[in-house]
Short mmCIF file of all heavy atoms in Angstrom, two decimals:
data_model
loop_
_atom_site.label_atom_id
_atom_site.label_comp_id
_atom_site.label_asym_id
_atom_site.label_seq_id
_atom_site.Cartn_x
_atom_site.Cartn_y
_atom_site.Cartn_z
N ALA J 1 -10.07 -3.50 -31.61
CA ALA J 1 -10.76 -3.76 -32.91
C ALA J 1 -11.66 -5.03 -32.81
O ALA J 1 -12.76 -5.02 -33.28
CB ALA J 1 -9.79 -3.85 -34.05
N ILE J 2 -11.06 -6.05 -32.21
CA ILE J 2 -11.88 -7.34 -32.08
C ILE J 2 -13.13 -7.08 -31.23
O ILE J 2 -14.24 -7.50 -31.58
CB ILE J 2 -10.98 -8.46 -31.48
CG1 ILE J 2 -9.84 -8.83 -32.49
CG2 ILE J 2 -11.83 -9.71 -31.16
CD1 ILE J 2 -10.31 -9.42 -33.76
N VAL J 3 -12.93 -6.47 -30.09
CA VAL J 3 -14.06 -6.23 -29.17
C VAL J 3 -15.13 -5.29 -29.86
O VAL J 3 -16.30 -5.56 -29.83
CB VAL J 3 -13.66 -5.69 -27.83
CG1 VAL J 3 -14.81 -5.31 -26.94
CG2 VAL J 3 -12.70 -6.67 -27.12
N ALA J 4 -14.60 -4.26 -30.56
CA ALA J 4 -15.55 -3.37 -31.26
C ALA J 4 -16.31 -4.05 -32.30
O ALA J 4 -17.53 -3.92 -32.51
CB ALA J 4 -14.78 -2.15 -31.86
N HIS J 5 -15.62 -4.92 -33.09
CA HIS J 5 -16.23 -5.59 -34.21
C HIS J 5 -17.32 -6.59 -33.71
O HIS J 5 -18.30 -6.79 -34.38
CB HIS J 5 -15.16 -6.34 -35.03
CG HIS J 5 -15.69 -6.89 -36.29
ND1 HIS J 5 -15.88 -6.09 -37.44
CD2 HIS J 5 -16.00 -8.17 -36.68
CE1 HIS J 5 -16.31 -6.85 -38.44
NE2 HIS J 5 -16.43 -8.10 -37.98
N PHE J 6 -17.06 -7.21 -32.58
CA PHE J 6 -17.96 -8.26 -32.07
C PHE J 6 -18.87 -7.79 -30.94
O PHE J 6 -19.44 -8.64 -30.18
CB PHE J 6 -17.18 -9.50 -31.73
CG PHE J 6 -16.59 -10.18 -32.92
CD1 PHE J 6 -15.21 -10.10 -33.17
CD2 PHE J 6 -17.41 -10.84 -33.80
CE1 PHE J 6 -14.65 -10.71 -34.27
CE2 PHE J 6 -16.88 -11.49 -34.95
CZ PHE J 6 -15.48 -11.38 -35.16
N THR J 7 -19.02 -6.47 -30.81
CA THR J 7 -19.94 -5.93 -29.80
C THR J 7 -21.15 -5.42 -30.51
O THR J 7 -21.07 -4.57 -31.37
CB THR J 7 -19.25 -4.79 -28.97
OG1 THR J 7 -18.20 -5.32 -28.22
CG2 THR J 7 -20.24 -4.11 -28.04
N PRO J 8 -22.35 -5.90 -30.19
CA PRO J 8 -23.59 -5.47 -30.84
C PRO J 8 -23.76 -3.95 -30.74
O PRO J 8 -23.53 -3.34 -29.68
CB PRO J 8 -24.69 -6.20 -30.05
CG PRO J 8 -24.05 -7.38 -29.44
CD PRO J 8 -22.63 -6.96 -29.14
N ASP J 9 -24.08 -3.36 -31.86
CA ASP J 9 -24.42 -1.93 -31.99
C ASP J 9 -23.22 -1.01 -31.71
O ASP J 9 -23.40 0.18 -31.46
CB ASP J 9 -25.61 -1.56 -31.13
CG ASP J 9 -26.87 -2.21 -31.61
OD1 ASP J 9 -27.02 -2.42 -32.84
OD2 ASP J 9 -27.75 -2.54 -30.78
N ALA J 10 -21.99 -1.54 -31.69
CA ALA J 10 -20.82 -0.65 -31.54
C ALA J 10 -20.70 0.14 -32.79
O ALA J 10 -21.09 -0.25 -33.91
CB ALA J 10 -19.59 -1.44 -31.26
N ASP J 11 -20.09 1.28 -32.72
CA ASP J 11 -19.79 2.10 -33.90
C ASP J 11 -18.84 1.25 -34.81
O ASP J 11 -17.97 0.52 -34.25
CB ASP J 11 -19.14 3.42 -33.54
CG ASP J 11 -20.06 4.32 -32.73
OD1 ASP J 11 -21.27 4.27 -33.03
OD2 ASP J 11 -19.56 5.03 -31.83
N PRO J 12 -18.98 1.36 -36.11
CA PRO J 12 -18.20 0.52 -37.00
C PRO J 12 -16.69 0.84 -36.92
O PRO J 12 -16.32 2.00 -36.72
CB PRO J 12 -18.71 0.87 -38.37
CG PRO J 12 -20.03 1.50 -38.19
CD PRO J 12 -20.02 2.09 -36.83
N VAL J 13 -15.89 -0.16 -37.01
CA VAL J 13 -14.42 -0.02 -37.06
C VAL J 13 -14.06 0.57 -38.43
O VAL J 13 -14.45 -0.05 -39.44
CB VAL J 13 -13.68 -1.31 -36.84
CG1 VAL J 13 -12.17 -1.16 -37.05
CG2 VAL J 13 -14.01 -1.91 -35.42
N ARG J 14 -13.45 1.74 -38.50
CA ARG J 14 -13.13 2.35 -39.76
C ARG J 14 -11.68 2.10 -40.15
O ARG J 14 -11.40 2.05 -41.32
CB ARG J 14 -13.37 3.89 -39.68
CG ARG J 14 -14.79 4.29 -39.37
CD ARG J 14 -15.73 3.86 -40.47
NE ARG J 14 -17.09 4.35 -40.11
CZ ARG J 14 -18.11 4.09 -40.81
NH1 ARG J 14 -18.02 3.33 -41.93
NH2 ARG J 14 -19.30 4.48 -40.45
N LYS J 15 -10.83 2.02 -39.16
CA LYS J 15 -9.41 1.84 -39.49
C LYS J 15 -8.68 1.24 -38.28
O LYS J 15 -9.02 1.58 -37.15
CB LYS J 15 -8.70 3.16 -39.87
CG LYS J 15 -7.27 3.00 -40.31
CD LYS J 15 -6.64 4.38 -40.58
CE LYS J 15 -7.10 4.93 -41.88
NZ LYS J 15 -6.36 6.11 -42.31
N VAL J 16 -7.72 0.39 -38.52
CA VAL J 16 -6.88 -0.19 -37.52
C VAL J 16 -5.44 -0.05 -37.99
O VAL J 16 -5.15 -0.40 -39.14
CB VAL J 16 -7.16 -1.69 -37.19
CG1 VAL J 16 -6.33 -2.23 -36.08
CG2 VAL J 16 -8.68 -1.91 -36.97
N THR J 17 -4.54 0.44 -37.16
CA THR J 17 -3.15 0.51 -37.57
C THR J 17 -2.23 0.21 -36.43
O THR J 17 -2.59 0.42 -35.23
CB THR J 17 -2.87 1.96 -38.09
OG1 THR J 17 -1.47 2.01 -38.50
CG2 THR J 17 -3.11 3.07 -37.04
N ILE J 18 -1.07 -0.29 -36.73
CA ILE J 18 -0.01 -0.52 -35.75
C ILE J 18 1.10 0.57 -35.87
O ILE J 18 2.10 0.51 -35.16
CB ILE J 18 0.62 -1.90 -35.82
CG1 ILE J 18 1.19 -2.20 -37.20
CG2 ILE J 18 -0.41 -2.97 -35.40
CD1 ILE J 18 2.01 -3.49 -37.33
N VAL J 19 0.83 1.59 -36.68
CA VAL J 19 1.72 2.67 -36.81
C VAL J 19 1.57 3.56 -35.51
O VAL J 19 0.45 3.99 -35.24
CB VAL J 19 1.50 3.53 -38.04
CG1 VAL J 19 2.37 4.78 -38.16
CG2 VAL J 19 1.62 2.65 -39.32
N PRO J 20 2.62 3.75 -34.78
CA PRO J 20 2.51 4.52 -33.54
C PRO J 20 1.99 5.98 -33.82
O PRO J 20 2.33 6.59 -34.74
CB PRO J 20 3.90 4.56 -32.98
CG PRO J 20 4.60 3.42 -33.66
CD PRO J 20 3.99 3.25 -34.98
N ARG J 21 1.06 6.43 -32.94
CA ARG J 21 0.51 7.74 -33.02
C ARG J 21 0.69 8.40 -31.62
O ARG J 21 0.03 7.95 -30.67
CB ARG J 21 -0.96 7.75 -33.36
CG ARG J 21 -1.27 7.06 -34.69
CD ARG J 21 -1.22 8.05 -35.85
NE ARG J 21 -1.81 7.48 -37.04
CZ ARG J 21 -1.10 7.10 -38.04
NH1 ARG J 21 0.19 7.17 -38.04
NH2 ARG J 21 -1.71 6.61 -39.12
N GLY J 22 1.54 9.39 -31.42
CA GLY J 22 1.74 9.92 -30.11
C GLY J 22 2.31 8.96 -29.20
O GLY J 22 3.25 8.19 -29.48
N ARG J 23 1.59 8.77 -28.07
CA ARG J 23 1.98 7.73 -27.07
C ARG J 23 1.41 6.36 -27.34
O ARG J 23 1.72 5.38 -26.73
CB ARG J 23 1.64 8.24 -25.68
CG ARG J 23 2.43 9.43 -25.20
CD ARG J 23 2.01 9.97 -23.91
NE ARG J 23 1.85 8.94 -22.90
CZ ARG J 23 1.49 9.15 -21.65
NH1 ARG J 23 1.18 10.42 -21.28
NH2 ARG J 23 1.38 8.15 -20.80
N ALA J 24 0.39 6.37 -28.29
CA ALA J 24 -0.23 5.07 -28.63
C ALA J 24 0.66 4.26 -29.55
O ALA J 24 1.27 4.76 -30.46
CB ALA J 24 -1.59 5.35 -29.28
N LEU J 25 0.70 2.94 -29.28
CA LEU J 25 1.50 2.08 -30.13
C LEU J 25 0.77 1.68 -31.35
O LEU J 25 1.38 1.09 -32.28
CB LEU J 25 1.90 0.87 -29.34
CG LEU J 25 2.77 1.17 -28.08
CD1 LEU J 25 3.04 -0.18 -27.28
CD2 LEU J 25 4.08 1.83 -28.47
N GLY J 26 -0.49 1.98 -31.43
CA GLY J 26 -1.35 1.69 -32.55
C GLY J 26 -2.70 2.32 -32.27
O GLY J 26 -2.92 2.79 -31.16
N VAL J 27 -3.54 2.33 -33.26
CA VAL J 27 -4.83 3.03 -33.09
C VAL J 27 -5.91 2.24 -33.84
O VAL J 27 -5.73 1.66 -34.92
CB VAL J 27 -4.79 4.46 -33.72
CG1 VAL J 27 -6.12 5.14 -33.65
CG2 VAL J 27 -3.74 5.26 -33.08
N MET J 28 -7.09 2.17 -33.17
CA MET J 28 -8.31 1.65 -33.81
C MET J 28 -9.30 2.82 -33.84
O MET J 28 -9.56 3.44 -32.81
CB MET J 28 -8.87 0.48 -32.95
CG MET J 28 -10.01 -0.21 -33.60
SD MET J 28 -11.71 0.42 -33.25
CE MET J 28 -11.77 0.38 -31.47
N MET J 29 -9.80 3.14 -35.04
CA MET J 29 -10.73 4.27 -35.13
C MET J 29 -12.10 3.74 -35.47
O MET J 29 -12.26 2.87 -36.32
CB MET J 29 -10.22 5.22 -36.20
CG MET J 29 -9.00 5.96 -35.81
SD MET J 29 -8.51 7.16 -37.06
CE MET J 29 -7.65 6.18 -38.26
#
């Protein structure tokens, strides 16, 4: 999320969660 937020012209961060999803320990969308 930090890299996405501070990278020029990256797609906007819509959601960040630490709730595990599948094998991921958290998700940034």
Side-chain angles (χ1 to χ4, degrees):
I2 294 294
V3 177
H5 190 78
F6 292 107
T7 294
D9 294 328
D11 295 325
V13 175
R14 300 295 182 184
K15 185 184 281 189
V16 184
T17 182
I18 57 172
V19 176
R21 304 271 193 251
R23 292 176 48 183
L25 299 176
V27 177
M28 185 273 304
M29 292 185 278

